[in-house]
Amino acid sequence: MSDTAIDRRTALGTIAGAAALGAFAARSAASLLSPAELGWNAESGEYDLPPLPYGYDALEPSIDEQTMRIHHDKHHAGYVKGLNKAVTELRKIREGQGDLGLIKHWSRELSFHGSGHVNHSLFWAGMAPAGQGGGGYPEGELAKRIDRDFGTFEQFVGQFKAAANAVEGSGWGWLVHDPMSGHLHVLQAEKHQNLTMTGVTPLLGVDVWEHAYYLKYQNRRGDYLDAFMNVVNWPEIGRRYAAAVG
Ligand code: MN3
């Protein structure tokens, strides 16, 4: 990434101005992803769908090409569209052209679609082809912190997969950094934005909506989670950890 801190703060201002995205701190997402990865288009004043950082088939066999195509081109695209729509409708209401009674509706839409967009952006960049950055083990400071806070890497993986597997309905499993204690935690999210913890920095997220795995794994979410661990981009997660504590 060649983006400067100022670029990231600019992206932060954009997102913060559009209201907080879910329960994660807006600052966190902007410090973890570049403006290009966040998809903000300053010229159009809307979010664009950023391309995947690798080919649709790059995560085979862990995650199949068809799932990646539909997931990115249809589902993630839908969240970007919904985010832009919510921002537009809230602006209309502020300017007196909309229905004040729909503030609650559009605010919820902003939270859901905005969180969906950020979550997927973090998700794509948090994976890499197996053996080309994907899989293996964390290194450096992140590895030490995982050992300190979870006991061992294996114990972390056990908690992470169990939490993700137990998400009720559609949602996410997350490894997050809590800036208050300096500790790592594992959280669940329902939908894109519920059950998260305000102010924590998302480091590693796994999408457990059925659209993320059903074509290949059907109801076997646990098998999908096992396969996901083969494509976790630990160098990228380590970079996010360094940004979170730095
Ligand atoms: Mn998804």
Side-chain angles (χ1 to χ4, degrees), residues 14 27 74 81 83 96 180:
T14 301
R27 179 178 62 189
K74 304 299 182 187
K81 188 176 177 185
L83 170 59
M180 296 178 285

Side-chain angles (χ1 to χ4, degrees), residues 4-28:
T4 65
I6 288 175
D7 289 332
R8 293 179 190 280
R9 279 196 292 274
T10 302
L12 155 64
T14 301
I15 287 196
L21 297 174
F24 290 134
R27 179 178 62 189
S28 303

Side-chain angles (χ1 to χ4, degrees), residues 71 79 120 172 207 209 211:
H71 198 173
Y79 301 130
H120 284 88
W172 295 76
D207 188 337
W209 286 56
H211 67 224

